[in-house]
Amino acid sequence: MKPATAPTPVLPTDTSTTAPRRGLRTLISGIGTQNLSLVAALVVVAGVFGLLNSAYLSVANIAVIGETVTIAGLLAVVQTVVIICGALDISVGSQAGVASVISAMAFTATGGNPLFGIGAAIAVGVAAGVVNGLIIVYGRVNPVIATLATLAAYKGIAQLISNGRAQGYVLGDDFFVFLARGKLLGLPVQVWILAVVALGVHLLLKFTDIGRNIYAIGGNDTAARLAGIKINKYLISVYALAGVVAAIAGILLTARTGSGQPVSGSEGLELKAITAAALGGCALKGGKGGVGGTLLAVALLGALENGLTVVGVNAFWQNVAQGALLVIAVVIQQWRNGERAVGLPT
């Protein structure tokens, strides 16, 4: 008979250290490491430029940054939806230009009725988005090629109908002045519009069957089709949504500049939108991403661009920095996914 052994004593758990660690892990998992990286980068950028120029961190300059990123932010938010669905829309900047011109021309043609101008711009945005979707779905054209083509086409349409010049003058109208310069609870109206659109898109993606289906299509379109999801319908609808938001961006551009702008103010917005979405964690293959990360990336890009301006850096370097950030974002995605470089052995 074996002698009885004494039971192993159970040491008390030090809850004073494990609880904070558990809480920190929960916080990090909730925010996401990608978003934490963006927050850290934003803090570094703000700190560096704040040291170089004390006016950078002033309330007035922060408000300027908020207003400046609004139009690009709107396009980045809707670009997030398109990318999650496994597609891409390079034409959003040109769509905003067309909507800007149409809003000003319709406003002038109706004797200064802002509702007609806004309604006409949104209708044109829907039409432009649906055309993109139809080309991709029924023309079986790659989304990059299709929207690259419509980028040029919509830009040409905006220049044709405006004769290449700014159209109308809207800042004599109280509503457009409110859009351009108004404030609610101390924040510019344009920032509130971005916040409302971003919240709506976030709720759509995270808490509806439509959003879950969009993630499913981007993650594995074959499995989504076998599950009964009507992929063609979703693709056309997503591009129509992109057209609506691009039209809203065009309307804000009209309000900000005081007239319809066929090219000025909208050129290059598509690159900013794609860069922000990629930096924010959207997988360019689809199926992954979110509005929160995109908004942080928009803020980072805006803070960087404003900082370079404040310290007197040549404006051309802003394009260099933006391109570099897009490359960095894509390289990080490739590393995380274990993708091999093109042309190199596995």
Side-chain angles (χ1 to χ4, degrees), residues 94-329:
S94 293
Q95 290 182 59
V98 174
S100 176
V101 170
I102 291 295
S103 65
M105 293 179 71
F107 171 81
T108 303
T110 55
N113 189 321
L115 295 181
F116 275 103
I118 291 170
I122 291 177
V124 167
V126 172
V130 168
V131 167
N132 281 346
L134 291 174
I135 292 172
I136 292 164
V137 169
Y138 295 107
R140 298 184 179 182
V141 181
N142 181 282
V144 174
I145 302 301
T147 56
L148 186 61
T150 55
L151 162 72
Y154 295 151
K155 181 179 178 180
I157 290 171
Q159 291 172 321
L160 282 171
I161 61 179
S162 65
N163 292 318
R165 299 191 299 268
Q167 294 293 310
Y169 180 75
V170 301
L171 291 185
D173 179 77
D174 291 340
F175 185 77
F176 276 105
V177 170
F178 177 69
L179 287 180
R181 303 170 187 165
K183 291 189 176 183
L184 291 173
L185 301 176
L187 290 175
V189 170
Q190 294 189 23
V191 174
W192 280 110
I193 292 173
L194 172 59
V196 169
V197 171
L199 178 62
V201 171
H202 174 73
L203 294 176
L204 173 73
L205 288 174
K206 297 297 183 181
F207 300 104
T208 68
D209 289 338
I210 294 173
R212 284 185 281 273
N213 289 343
I214 289 173
Y215 276 102
I217 292 169
N220 189 325
D221 59 346
T222 302
R225 184 179 288 107
L226 293 175
I229 298 174
K230 298 179 179 179
I231 295 178
N232 291 350
K233 175 182 175 182
Y234 271 89
L235 276 172
I236 294 172
S237 299
V238 163
Y239 276 101
L241 176 63
V244 170
V245 177
I248 295 172
I251 293 164
L252 293 185
L253 177 61
T254 300
R256 183 180 293 179
T257 60
S259 57
Q261 299 291 334
V263 177
S264 177
S266 60
E267 196 166 30
L269 287 175
E270 53 282 327
L271 178 59
K272 288 184 178 179
I274 294 169
T275 302
L279 273 176
C282 287
L284 294 180
K285 289 186 174 181
K288 181 182 177 184
V291 172
T294 297
L295 288 179
L296 283 172
V298 167
L300 176 61
L301 290 171
L304 180 61
E305 184 177 317
N306 180 269
L308 292 173
T309 301
V310 166
V311 299
V313 175
N314 190 316
F316 296 139
W317 281 106
Q318 296 175 10
N319 293 330
V320 175
Q322 186 173 288
L325 285 172
L326 178 56
V327 171
I328 290 169

Side-chain angles (χ1 to χ4, degrees), residues 68-94:
T68 303
V69 303
T70 301
I71 292 176
L74 285 168
L75 298 180
V77 166
V78 80
Q79 189 74 253
T80 298
V81 182
V82 178
I83 292 175
I84 289 172
C85 199
L88 199 67
D89 192 347
I90 304 176
S91 69
V92 286
S94 293

